[in-house]
Amino acid sequence: MSLPPFLSSIDEQKDQMIHDVLSWSNINSGSLNLLGLERMAYTLRKAFEITGASGEVLPSDPMTVITDTGAEQQIKVGPILRIVKRPEANRQILLCGHMDTVFDTSSDFQTWEDLGGGKIRGPGVTDMKGGLRVILAALQAFEQSPHKDQLGWEVLINADEEIGSFGSRRHLVEAAGRANLGLVYEPSMPDGTLAGARKGSGNFTLVVTGKAAHAGREHHLGRNAITALSSMILDLNSLTGGRPDLTVNIGKIEGGGALNVVPDLAICRFNVRMKEPSDQDWLQDAMDSIVAKMNNKADYTAILHGSFSRPPKPMSPMITQLFDLVRMCGSDLGIEIKQQPTGGCCDGNNLAAAGLPNIDTLGVRGANIHSNQEFIITDSLTERAKLTALILHKLSSGNIPFPKKAPAS
Ligand SMILES: [Zn+2]
């Protein structure tokens, strides 16, 4: 089949795309580096002006964390960039990405390096500054499509995806309500395979308090928070496998001090993963009863903080249909698109939970993300930008059935 001629403009941009990704990689935008994120937001806003749409930089909501004394604390997270074109069009697409990386200012991974063979190693090049550049090139090309007026788009780029998107959650849900379909730019597998069904995830912090006492004189009067927490950890750990593929990962424990004091505070942080939405209720009940058992003991208190931040994303009929479209666009471009389920999760989970069917691995090909060996396969920049531009072109042509907007929540 013949490809729309505007797609070839993307190939001409390859050097510029690589140049931009590397200059963005040079800006440290670790999830907690507010200054770097601010700089990244305004740099991206400027870059996206070429699409003819003007962006706005919006504040995120504060995020609640549990400190090492077990207290709740609100912290500020980085800003959100929102760019909107043709909001009046009947068909609306949300293109979603994140500007934060897992590499903060203290990381030893701050600069890029050309590995040769079309691979460049660098912080965030694949996850997902390359993906952001794919969005830009695709939109720039799509704006030359003869059907462009049939389709409005919104780009939402948050700054706290790597720490759970708590500060941008409200914006994601609102944007999901404005759109018919979502495209998210997490990297694909190195061979281009996309993520299909995704597990859900939750992060929890369990704070146990007992009673301090002198370990020598009055050991019997103390209530040891560490041993109490330890018994709870074994109970929590045993929930793994309680439902198919459900896991509880005890990630971090804190507590105690001087060895001659019965410790009165212990904290455990853990992550849970589940496949089915109904697993969340099962797990919540199980965790609640473990907590209640401790609270029934005299002189002990247990408080469970946290939530299921990313619900499971099963393959729905609409997502399957969207995959068929992506596969069809891929085959027009001579790329075979496969998909497989994953235990990882991303903002695609949140958008799906808010009722927005989406495909969430339309970003670049690369590997070793979240490590200092992260690299991008540079050919994938133009390849994936053409894929998205063609998806948008087909969606705007009116030949593809469009789902209704997600119900407002
Ligand atoms: Zn990512």
Side-chain angles (χ1 to χ4, degrees):
M1 87 141 250
S2 64
L3 292 168
F6 63 82
L7 284 188
S8 56
S9 65
I10 292 176
D11 285 322
E12 293 156 20
Q13 283 196 53
K14 186 177 173 190
D15 289 347
Q16 185 64 42
M17 290 178 83
I18 295 173
H19 173 270
D20 289 347
V21 172
L22 298 183
S23 79
W24 297 350
S25 170
N26 280 340
I27 300 174
N28 179 289
S29 59
S31 306
L32 298 176
N33 178 7
L34 296 184
L35 278 178
L37 289 164
E38 196 83 7
R39 196 175 146 210
M40 198 63 228
Y42 283 97
T43 301
L44 289 168
R45 188 173 83 161
K46 180 107 193 65
F48 273 80
E49 280 174 2
I50 203 160
T51 62
S54 58
E56 50 180 343
V57 176
L58 305 163
S60 294
D61 295 330
M63 171 184 171
T64 303
V65 295
I66 307 299
T67 67
D68 56 8
T69 62
E72 282 193 359
Q73 189 190 342
Q74 303 242 301
I75 62 164
K76 201 171 177 260
V77 299
I80 294 160
L81 174 62
R82 180 171 172 247
I83 308 157
V84 178
K85 186 98 172 179
R86 290 185 293 278
E88 70 288 350
N90 281 333
R91 304 176 154 210
Q92 293 292 326
I93 299 289
L94 175 65
L95 299 101
C96 217
H98 64 84
M99 65 181 98
D100 61 323
T101 72
V102 298
F103 307 106
D104 263 301
T105 45
S106 60
S107 163
D108 61 359
F109 192 32
Q110 300 289 343
T111 49
W112 59 268
E113 173 199 6
D114 193 339
L115 300 175
K119 292 178 183 168
I120 299 178
R121 186 178 80 102
V125 287
T126 292
D127 185 14
M128 63 154 59
K129 290 172 180 177
L132 301 179
R133 192 59 180 85
V134 165
I135 300 177
L136 175 56
L139 290 175
Q140 207 185 336
F142 172 66
E143 287 302 310
Q144 303 167 52
S145 163
H147 314 302
K148 70 172 167 43
D149 290 337
Q150 308 305 313
L151 191 82
W153 50 259
E154 173 172 343
V155 174
L156 195 76
I157 302 174
N158 61 3
D160 63 340
E161 195 274 344
E162 298 290 6
I163 50 173
S165 302
F166 292 98
S168 54
R169 178 73 36 91
R170 187 170 54 83
H171 292 269
L172 287 168
V173 170
E174 287 172 7
R178 290 188 287 266
N180 303 84
L181 289 172
L183 307 174
V184 184
Y185 288 81
E186 293 294 342
S188 66
M189 307 289 140
D191 71 351
T193 299
L194 308 184
R198 285 184 181 271
K199 276 189 176 183
S201 169
N203 286 328
F204 293 88
T205 303
L206 178 58
V207 179
V208 176
T209 49
K211 211 164 108 187
H214 190 290
R217 290 187 189 185
E218 295 178 324
H219 184 265
H220 62 291
L221 295 181
R223 297 291 177 266
N224 192 316
I226 292 179
T227 54
L229 176 69
S230 302
S231 71
M232 295 178 81
I233 286 175
L234 294 177
D235 289 346
L236 287 168
N237 191 54
S238 71
L239 298 176
T240 293
R243 299 284 284 250
D245 293 329
L246 184 147
T247 57
V248 175
N249 185 56
I250 306 298
K252 188 175 183 186
I253 50 175
E254 296 153 278
L259 302 189
N260 58 356
V261 178
V262 177
D264 63 353
L265 175 69
I267 301 170
C268 164
R269 301 173 198 264
F270 61 98
N271 175 264
V272 298
R273 304 264 163 158
M274 73 297 300
K275 205 163 73 174
E276 301 295 333
S278 64
D279 294 345
Q280 289 187 183
D281 294 337
W282 180 87
L283 192 54
Q284 186 71 56
D285 287 350
M287 293 190 301
D288 287 348
S289 73
I290 291 170
V291 170
K293 199 168 89 184
M294 185 55 63
N295 281 319
N296 281 335
K297 293 187 178 176
D299 302 328
Y300 286 103
T301 311
I303 301 174
L304 184 65
H305 301 268
S307 61
F308 297 101
S309 50
R310 294 197 163 118
K313 181 187 173 193
M315 287 294 288
S316 69
M318 264 319 303
I319 295 179
T320 306
Q321 201 178 317
L322 192 48
F323 260 113
D324 290 342
L325 171 66
V326 173
R327 231 187 315 269
M328 181 165 74
C329 292
S331 101
D332 288 352
L333 293 164
I335 315 164
E336 190 194 359
I337 306 273
K338 291 179 283 188
Q339 55 110 341
Q340 65 182 46
T342 170
C345 53
C346 71
D347 284 336
N349 293 62
N350 300 85
L351 296 177
L356 185 70
N358 67 85
I359 302 235
D360 55 32
T361 27
L362 289 165
V364 294
R365 289 186 286 122
N368 304 335
I369 59 170
H370 294 198
S371 86
N372 65 6
Q373 298 303 315
E374 173 179 0
F375 70 84
I376 179 175
I377 298 167
T378 54
D379 280 349
S380 67
L381 281 164
T382 50
E383 171 194 299
R384 298 286 143 160
K386 283 191 279 189
L387 181 64
T388 287
L390 192 56
I391 293 168
L392 296 176
H393 176 67
K394 284 201 198 276
L395 286 171
S396 64
S397 69
N399 300 326
I400 308 282
F402 236 70
K404 293 204 167 44
K405 287 195 174 89
S409 53

